[in-house]
Each structure stands twice: as C-alpha cells, then as structure tokens.
C-alpha cells in the first residue's frame, strides 16, 4: 500500500496556523495480485496536529449520506467519537494493513488501541448525553 495515501502532512499555509497530519482510518480496499489498492468511495481520515492531538475526522460523502443527521463531512467532539465507535471494527481491520506504522504512531497495534479506546469513548459520549 502506498504510504502517501495513508499518512499525509499538510504544511503551513495562510489558512492554517500549524502543520496538520492526516491518517487514513478507513477506505475501500481492492486486493489484486497481493497488492492492496485503495479507492475512496467510503473513507474516514483522522486529522492530528503536530503534537498528535486529534483535531477531527473527515468522512466521505457516502458516509455523510448514510448519517445525514451529522450535517457536515468534517466532524469533531461527540459526532467524531460516535462515527469512530460505529466503524471501530472496520477501522481496526483496515489499520491492521499498516500495523507497524500505526504502532509507531500510537504505541499500540490497531486492535489493542481500539479495544482500549472504545470503552473510554463510550464513557465520553454517555457523559455528554
């Protein structure tokens, strides 16, 4: 898989205060001849600042259509966490395709990271509802 499709750096520009990174958490994958090819009909990108703090997620138009109540493709706060929880299993499976890079970034393999994070996210959502 082409790492430039998974990790992206957005350099400083006039409309950004700091550099931002994005990490592809979910996309369509087509495996031909042992090579994973991505296509982006359905995707979730996690946006991070240079310190690694989560800023928000971007979702595809197809996911927005499925969850029209969200109202926007860029999500933060509770809406972001709800989407991460809804797609946790799919995100975990996708991220396992680049497990070493994920582990370097987050300190845990995707399966362990999301298993640990999910109960905390549920508490966060429940506390705000």
């Amino acid at each position: 898989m082409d790492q430039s499709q998974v990790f992206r750096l957005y350099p400083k520009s006039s409309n950004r205060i700091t550099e931002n990174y994005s990490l592809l958490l979910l996309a369509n994958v087509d495996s031909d001849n042992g090579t994973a090819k991505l296509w982006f009909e359905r995707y979730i990108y996690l946006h991070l600042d240079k310190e690694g703090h989560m800023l928000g997620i971007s979702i595809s138009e197809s996911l927005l259509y499925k969850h029209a109540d969200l109202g926007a493709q860029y999500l933060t706060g509770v809406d972001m966490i709800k989407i991460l929880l809804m797609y946790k299993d799919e995100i975990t499976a996708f991220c396992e395709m680049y497990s070493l890079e994920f582990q370097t970034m987050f300190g845990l393999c995707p399966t362990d990271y999301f298993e640990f994070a999910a109960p905390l996210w549920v508490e966060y959502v429940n506390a705000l509802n």
Side-chain angles (χ1 to χ4, degrees), residues 44 57 78-92 114-126:
I44 299 173
I57 60 172
V78 173
D79 288 338
M80 171 183 69
I81 299 300
K82 285 180 179 178
I83 289 292
L84 292 174
L85 286 167
M86 279 187 246
Y87 292 94
K88 177 185 81 77
D89 293 340
E90 291 179 71
I91 291 170
T92 300
F114 289 107
E115 285 301 315
F116 178 76
L120 300 174
W121 291 341
V122 168
E123 278 184 39
Y124 174 77
V125 170
N126 288 339

Side-chain angles (χ1 to χ4, degrees), residues 9-36:
L9 168 65
Y10 296 97
K12 292 180 183 176
S13 68
S14 59
N15 61 347
R16 296 184 196 269
I17 296 172
T18 61
E19 291 179 335
N20 293 332
Y21 299 86
S22 68
L23 172 64
L24 184 60
L25 295 180
L26 183 63
N28 306 85
V29 180
D30 189 12
S31 296
D32 278 340
N33 303 325
T35 303

Side-chain angles (χ1 to χ4, degrees), residues 6-80:
V6 176
F7 300 99
R8 293 184 184 173
L9 168 65
Y10 296 97
K12 292 180 183 176
S13 68
S14 59
N15 61 347
R16 296 184 196 269
I17 296 172
T18 61
E19 291 179 335
N20 293 332
Y21 299 86
S22 68
L23 172 64
L24 184 60
L25 295 180
L26 183 63
N28 306 85
V29 180
D30 189 12
S31 296
D32 278 340
N33 303 325
T35 303
K37 294 180 183 175
L38 302 179
W39 46 292
F40 296 91
E41 176 187 323
R42 190 171 167 264
Y43 66 80
I44 299 173
Y45 270 101
L46 172 64
H47 302 283
L48 307 154
D49 65 16
K50 68 180 181 177
E51 285 83 33
H53 300 116
M54 292 179 16
L55 301 173
I57 60 172
S58 295
I59 62 172
S60 63
E61 287 183 16
S62 63
L63 287 177
L64 179 59
Y65 180 78
K66 187 173 180 177
H67 305 284
D69 58 310
L70 295 173
Q73 284 183 269
Y74 186 78
L75 306 171
T76 60
V78 173
D79 288 338
M80 171 183 69

